[in-house]
Amino acid sequence: MRYLVRASRLFLLIVFFYITFVQTGFAAAGPQPVIGVVLMPPAVHLYGHVALINCYAPANSFYAVIDLRDTPGKSIVIRSAEQRLQSLLETALATGNLVSFVGQGVFVQSPPRGGTWNMEVYQIDEVTVYNKK
């Protein structure tokens, strides 16, 4: 009878350690890091007047300097490769009309032709030209 009690205790001890060490592998894993996915900053909607447009043919892109209306005295740079957006900004530059755009802030180390910018840069995907100055 003693051997049976000892054997059952030993069996229960083995089962306890087995459950403790093995079952933890089946527990829900915590969040895993995502690799290869770039999170984009939130989109912004800004208003202003176009002060300058500069096009770069090799990169098929253009850059425009916008004087913001909401924060006077502050200028930003927007960039895109879409021809339609460029023509809307050229219209706004020629007429002096108010323009709004939607885009995301990007980090650009230097302009395509070198030098430095001390302005924020936004990659845009929407432009609206208003009929007021």
Side-chain angles (χ1 to χ4, degrees):
M1 184 71 180
R2 267 189 202 178
Y3 294 114
L4 184 59
V5 170
R6 285 186 181 175
S8 63
R9 284 184 184 170
L10 182 61
F11 175 74
L12 289 175
L13 189 62
I14 291 172
V15 168
F16 173 74
F17 282 118
Y18 176 78
I19 291 173
T20 304
F21 291 119
V22 174
Q23 294 298 328
T24 57
F26 295 111
Q32 299 295 319
V34 178
I35 298 172
V37 175
V38 178
L39 300 176
M40 296 297 292
V44 295
H45 191 179
L46 298 171
Y47 299 88
H49 293 90
V50 180
L52 170 75
I53 294 179
N54 197 355
C55 301
Y56 296 100
N60 291 330
S61 65
F62 70 92
Y63 293 83
V65 175
I66 306 287
D67 293 328
L68 292 180
R69 181 179 189 179
D70 298 336
T71 53
K74 182 176 180 183
S75 297
I76 59 169
V77 175
I78 59 174
R79 74 175 188 182
S80 181
E82 181 63 42
Q83 289 293 108
R84 293 181 203 169
L85 300 180
Q86 179 180 347
S87 65
L88 284 174
L89 289 171
E90 287 173 351
T91 301
L93 177 63
T95 60
N97 288 351
L98 180 67
V99 65
S100 73
F101 63 92
V102 176
Q104 297 167 324
V106 294
F107 177 72
V108 177
Q109 293 178 350
S110 66
R113 302 231 186 236
T116 58
W117 277 334
N118 54 352
M119 294 181 268
E120 297 173 11
V121 181
Y122 293 89
Q123 178 72 33
I124 63 169
D125 56 6
E126 178 182 332
V127 171
T128 304
V129 178
Y130 293 93
N131 191 16
K132 59 182 177 178
K133 297 185 183 204

